[in-house]
Amino acid sequence: MIHIKTNIKKGGLWSLLCFLLAVSTVNGQSFFTAKTLPQSDRYGTITTRLVPEDIVRLIEERNLNFDEWSSFFYVQTSPSGPAVLGAYGIETNHLSFTPKFLPDPNIKYLVTFSYPKLAELLSGQIEETSIYSDVASFEPPEATQPEVISFIPKLHDVPANLLRFYVYFSAPMSLQNPYDFITIEDKNGKALVDPFVIVPEGLWNIDHTRLTLLLHPGRVKQGVGPNMTLGDVLLAGNSYTLKIDPAWKGSSGEPLKEAFTQTINATNPLRGAMNINNWALKAKVNNGIGILTVVTDHPLDQPLAQRMLFLRNMEGQILPVQINFENPEQLQILWRHQGSQELELLIDPRLEDVCGNTPHYAFDLEGTERTPSQEELKIKFKIE
């Protein structure tokens, strides 16, 4: 599939003229379709159904940039309305346009496809002269109740100076303030005061399905103002319960399927930098798949580790890998084995454990300062 980001800039008299002169069907069939993408309530797609396959191939061979795409295929909210941001694509012999933002079921989209403009672009390789234009709209997605499907770190006991929680949802959540629905209570049911860094819109991934809850670093880090006045968020030896109110709504408008609770047992703080020399590595090959098991000295921040651990062969090539966590202190890295018996595990020096410690830096020790390092961290290993 080709994906090209675009800012479409068509409008005024040209768009109005195309709209007035264009047709919208071929032999009674609609030239365009608009639908919500499968398993997503954030995006939709507009597809040209009846462009001949040989013309689609000519377009695909050109590897068009967005200016070229938008010269013959463009989308607006009206003949003279604002441009629609989005991405073009070719898939299964159809041309498509995907709006960047959630399509509004209440808005009609003007879609135009101009063969004359395409002929200019392809230097006369096609003779078709029709202009097709139609009004497209999107059906609202089916409403489903979201639910919490995962909570990280997956630890029964957590260090008292833990820095982050991650909450995963089955569907995109709404833009409501997350902290109106999330509390941490002590063993007596009393809610903790200001445990989180408050970001009103929340710290979300792009799909709005993973929320990062950042425990207040000023209270976690020893010897700084908030820690001195308010104290630690979690105290070693105490038990807490994180609760998520089921009144919180997903982006579909439906509330959570059920309340969520997570027990948090705080143990001794984990202070001090990670030491990769204490990591244990063991590699083997099974049915052509390399399997590297890594046991670390600190429980890792799993989402960060997914982006900051790499494998490199002795020829200097970075290998595509899949990283699976047994728990925050043990993970497996899988790759397609192609004969190399010796490889390197590369570690981004910014990698953190669950308490914000890196291989060069202890997060919450009084008087320590973060010193960025460009040093390449690597561990060589051999396949058994």
Side-chain angles (χ1 to χ4, degrees):
M1 180 189 293
I2 302 170
H3 278 300
I4 304 171
K5 296 294 182 183
T6 176
N7 184 345
I8 305 169
K9 296 181 179 178
K10 296 290 180 184
L13 293 176
W14 166 253
S15 295
L16 182 59
L17 181 63
C18 285
F19 182 64
L20 293 175
L21 298 179
V23 294
S24 61
T25 61
V26 178
N27 297 326
Q29 298 185 61
S30 176
F31 192 82
F32 303 103
T33 60
K35 63 180 181 180
T36 300
L37 290 176
Q39 299 179 346
S40 171
D41 61 359
R42 298 186 69 237
Y43 297 101
T45 182
I46 295 172
T47 303
T48 62
R49 300 175 56 197
L50 302 173
V51 177
E53 184 176 344
D54 59 335
I55 295 179
V56 173
R57 296 284 77 80
L58 288 173
I59 295 172
E60 187 173 31
E61 290 170 2
R62 288 292 298 270
N63 193 24
L64 304 179
N65 61 42
F66 74 81
D67 286 327
E68 293 168 324
W69 272 104
S70 61
S71 69
F72 66 91
F73 179 22
Y74 47 94
V75 181
Q76 298 168 273
T77 55
S78 70
S80 58
V84 176
L85 299 174
Y88 289 110
I90 296 178
E91 185 176 12
T92 319
N93 297 326
H94 297 303
L95 309 183
S96 66
F97 175 80
T98 303
K100 182 176 181 179
F101 301 106
L102 173 66
D104 188 334
N106 300 310
I107 292 179
K108 305 297 183 181
Y109 295 86
L110 171 62
V111 191
T112 303
F113 186 95
S114 171
Y115 273 114
K117 290 293 183 180
L118 178 58
E120 291 179 16
L121 188 64
L122 299 178
S123 303
Q125 294 183 66
I126 61 174
E127 298 180 355
E128 175 67 56
T129 59
S130 299
I131 298 174
Y132 294 92
S133 192
D134 203 354
V135 175
S137 61
F138 292 89
E139 293 294 328
E142 182 180 352
T144 57
Q145 285 188 283
E147 58 184 319
V148 176
I149 57 174
S150 185
F151 185 87
I152 290 177
K154 295 181 179 179
L155 290 170
H156 180 69
D157 300 322
V158 301
N161 59 337
L162 183 81
L163 195 58
R164 301 180 188 92
F165 295 114
Y166 297 94
V167 186
Y168 291 77
F169 297 87
S170 61
M173 296 300 291
S174 69
L175 297 178
Q176 293 174 287
N177 187 339
Y179 309 98
D180 290 340
F181 303 94
I182 301 175
T183 57
I184 298 178
E185 297 179 357
D186 63 20
K187 62 181 180 181
N188 298 317
K190 182 179 179 181
L192 302 189
V193 177
D194 298 331
F196 304 116
V197 172
I198 301 298
V199 181
E201 66 276 14
L203 295 170
W204 292 98
N205 64 350
I206 191 171
D207 295 325
H208 242 243
T209 55
R210 187 193 74 195
L211 175 67
T212 301
L213 294 172
L214 182 63
L215 295 176
H216 201 304
R219 295 182 61 183
V220 171
K221 189 172 179 66
Q222 302 296 289
V224 298
N227 176 264
M228 300 291 287
T229 57
L230 297 175
D232 299 326
V233 177
L234 306 177
L235 297 175
N238 288 3
S239 180
Y240 304 87
T241 303
L242 183 142
K243 294 183 176 181
I244 299 180
D245 190 328
W248 192 4
K249 294 180 179 180
S251 62
S252 66
E254 292 291 312
L256 283 174
K257 188 175 182 179
E258 58 187 3
F260 175 81
T261 61
Q262 176 71 34
T263 300
I264 302 165
N265 296 316
T267 61
N268 291 331
L270 182 59
R271 298 194 172 101
M274 289 187 283
N275 186 348
I276 65 170
N277 294 323
N278 293 332
W279 291 16
L281 278 63
K282 186 176 182 179
K284 64 180 181 179
V285 175
N286 186 9
N287 294 325
I289 301 299
I291 305 171
L292 173 64
T293 300
V294 182
V295 179
T296 62
D297 64 328
H298 288 197
L300 299 183
D301 183 301
Q302 294 180 40
L304 288 181
Q306 292 283 352
R307 298 187 285 111
M308 295 186 175
L309 295 176
F310 311 91
L311 288 188
R312 182 171 66 190
N313 62 24
M314 292 300 101
E315 288 73 44
Q317 298 172 317
I318 301 297
L319 306 179
V321 298
Q322 176 181 320
I323 300 177
N324 301 323
F325 275 86
E326 299 290 330
N327 58 64
E329 293 179 335
Q330 181 171 326
L331 60 122
Q332 285 191 334
I333 302 178
L334 309 180
W335 75 98
R336 187 171 297 281
H337 180 62
Q338 296 180 334
S340 298
Q341 294 301 113
E342 187 174 9
L343 300 102
E344 293 176 323
L345 172 64
L346 304 183
I347 301 120
D348 189 312
R350 298 170 297 172
L351 176 66
E352 297 180 6
D353 66 17
V354 296
C355 301
N357 304 306
T358 77
H360 297 291
Y361 168 78
F363 177 79
D364 76 337
L365 286 181
E366 182 178 357
T368 61
E369 296 293 336
R370 183 181 292 271
T371 54
S373 173
Q374 301 301 318
E375 176 188 353
E376 181 180 72
L377 301 177
K378 60 185 179 182
I379 306 174
K380 288 187 178 181
F381 64 92
K382 292 183 178 181
I383 297 173
E384 297 180 352

